[in-house]
């Protein structure tokens, strides 16, 4: 049933539209931070919308029955990473401040869904090790830009914990890369061995 739904064209189109709207909202959410970001760092600041942009590109080509393995690798790794990251940061904001506005709960729901959708499409990715390596380098490089050069998303109440958040984010990146490898390359090899 799930496999049918994930490949059902109207559902994929709906998912694409929802992700396009979410991506546009995500870039708008970063607007004030992007205005003060040095040009060289601009591609690395809007983390979640760029992750969903990768997924939009994947869905577009998926509808055309084509594969884009590097985009697929970037999508699965960054969707999971930033989906989980945003959920954790909003929960942490609630713990630290004792309050979370309705937008925070919306971000928890939407980013949780973001993480899940990237994993659900894993059986359809045509990812190879090289794609995981390149996407992994992009992801870890992004962590360096965020936490060494200070370009991390601005959560004013959490700025006192930037070192701890940076440490957590690094290991979340490693976990995301590992999960992407297991669900794609490792799974494909396992299936090939059973043939």
């Amino acid at each position: 049933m799930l496999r049918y739904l994930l490949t059902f064209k109207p559902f994929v189109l709906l998912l694409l539209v929802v992700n396009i709207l979410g991506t546009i909202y995500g870039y708008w959410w970063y607007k004030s931070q992007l205005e003060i970001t040095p040009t060289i760092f601009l591609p690395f600041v809007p983390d979640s919308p760029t992750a969903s942009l990768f997924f939009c590109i994947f869905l577009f080509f998926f509808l055309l029955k084509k594969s884009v393995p590097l985009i697929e690798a970037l999508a699965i790794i960054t969707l999971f990473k930033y989906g989980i990251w945003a959920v954790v940061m909003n929960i942490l904001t609630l713990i630290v401040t004792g309050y979370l506005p309705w937008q925070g709960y919306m971000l928890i729901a939407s980013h949780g869904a973001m993480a899940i959708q990237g994993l659900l499409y894993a059986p359809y990715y045509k990812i190879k090790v090289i794609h995981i390596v390149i996407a992994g380098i992009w992801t870890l490089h992004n962590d360096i830009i965020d936490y060494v050069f200070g370009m991390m998303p601005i959560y004013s109440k959490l700025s006192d914990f930037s070192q701890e958040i940076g440490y957590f984010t690094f290991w979340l990146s490693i976990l995301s890369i590992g999960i992407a490898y297991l669900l794609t390359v490792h799974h494909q090899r396992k299936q090939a061995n059973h043939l």
Side-chain angles (χ1 to χ4, degrees):
M1 179 66 181
L2 181 60
R3 182 174 283 268
Y4 171 76
L5 184 63
L6 293 176
T7 56
F8 184 52
K9 196 170 182 179
F11 176 78
V12 179
L13 273 168
L14 176 64
L15 200 56
L16 177 57
V17 170
V18 168
N19 275 276
I20 288 171
L21 294 174
T23 301
I24 292 167
Y25 173 78
Y27 283 115
W28 178 82
W29 188 87
Y30 274 96
K31 183 176 174 287
S32 58
Q33 185 169 352
L34 291 172
E35 286 170 352
I36 59 169
T37 299
T39 307
I40 195 169
F41 296 130
L42 284 175
F44 305 101
V45 169
D47 300 321
S48 295
T50 301
S52 61
L53 177 62
F54 291 141
F55 193 62
C56 288
I57 296 168
F58 157 72
L59 288 173
F60 174 77
F61 281 97
F62 187 67
L63 283 166
L64 299 176
K65 298 190 180 343
K66 296 181 186 297
S67 63
V68 278
L70 180 55
I71 295 295
E72 293 162 10
L74 286 163
I76 189 173
I77 291 171
T78 59
L79 280 173
F80 182 79
K81 174 190 172 181
Y82 295 116
I84 298 301
W85 188 91
V87 169
V88 171
M89 289 309 113
N90 279 282
I91 291 170
L92 192 56
T93 299
L94 178 60
I95 292 167
V96 169
T97 66
Y99 171 75
L100 192 64
W102 69 266
Q103 295 96 329
Y105 292 102
M106 182 198 73
L107 287 171
I108 288 173
S110 61
H111 282 75
M114 193 172 105
I116 292 165
Q117 70 180 358
L119 301 182
L120 286 176
Y121 277 90
Y124 305 101
Y125 302 143
K126 308 290 186 218
I127 298 170
K128 296 191 174 6
V129 172
I130 185 64
H131 306 122
I132 295 283
V133 169
I134 294 169
I137 290 169
W138 165 277
T139 304
L140 293 168
H141 177 258
N142 205 17
D143 290 345
I144 292 167
I145 298 298
D146 281 354
Y147 297 99
V148 174
F149 291 92
M151 296 294 124
M152 65 286 228
I154 297 170
Y155 275 77
S156 57
K157 302 293 183 188
L158 299 182
S159 57
D160 293 342
F161 306 97
S162 60
Q163 286 185 330
E164 292 83 354
I165 292 170
Y167 183 77
F168 163 75
T169 304
F170 168 77
W171 284 110
L172 181 58
S173 293
I174 298 297
L175 176 66
S176 303
I177 294 164
I179 287 173
Y181 173 81
L182 286 173
L183 292 180
T184 60
V185 177
H186 178 73
H187 183 70
Q188 290 161 15
R189 287 177 177 171
K190 212 163 137 188
Q191 281 190 319
N193 289 338
H194 285 137
L195 295 177

